[in-house]
Amino acid sequence: MAPSDADQMVYSDSDIRVHVLKNAVTGRLVHHPDRSFAIEVTLDLVKGADFFCHKPPMHFHVQEEYIECTQGHLGVEIDGKEVVLTAGDGAYSIKPYKDHRSYPLSLDRQEKGNTVVKFLLSGEKTDSVFELNPVFFENWYRYQDDVVVNGAKIDLIQLFSTFDAGGTYISLPWWIPFGQTVSRTMGLVVGRWLGGLLGYQPFYRKWTSDWPLACQKMESSFFQRRFADRSKMD
């Protein structure tokens, strides 16, 4: 059995909670002593019936990610195969540059009567400025909410900008030569450079709890440092 992350999570009454998709998804930012971030995700399969019928896009990270299911059945698609995670399996490691996606299994694939899926998501600590972290997840979850619930138009430049800032990139079709290199280049050139020049921010004050951290990360990029205004309340 893989080691459990659940035993090392530190919970507090002051933990930040993010509710999106009409409360079908709740993310609770918690502390893990050995990870760059940790978040407890709760998925209500009844409230999210219209949202969870579609799988998220395949993607990859430049750092190792860990997923541990604590309630219900969670699917992870990796290397073209589905891995089903259940409570007690321990933390499942997704290595850097592995194309993958995770999703709750449908109600008919859950244990009888179970309508909630919970899992712990965390990432390894790295020296990279732009990596998987709470600031990225807050902005990504709230951007999805803006698109799905509020009807905002999907903007690929914004998507590339936010993903790049979280060390995350879209998986391109297998037949594209050097697909991951192309995807990372698109994130850098379109998301960070062009996006920055056109006024796209990877992180927004209205979606961010730890704004000083977001500013610190944006200050590392010549194209984004102008957005790092600690007094900004947009």
Side-chain angles (χ1 to χ4, degrees), residues 118-147:
K118 283 189 178 184
F119 62 96
L120 299 170
L121 192 64
S122 62
E124 69 167 332
K125 289 182 178 180
T126 73
D127 295 327
S128 174
V129 175
F130 285 161
E131 63 175 2
L132 291 171
N133 57 66
V135 173
F136 162 72
F137 277 101
E138 272 193 295
N139 279 262
W140 172 231
Y141 276 23
R142 286 174 169 145
Y143 177 66
Q144 292 181 82
D145 194 60
D146 199 33
V147 170

Side-chain angles (χ1 to χ4, degrees), residues 15-35:
D15 289 340
I16 296 169
R17 291 172 172 81
V18 179
H19 304 278
V20 296
L21 301 183
K22 297 183 178 180
N23 291 322
V25 178
T26 299
R28 179 178 182 174
L29 305 180
V30 296
H31 176 70
H32 188 298
D34 301 321
R35 303 285 163 77

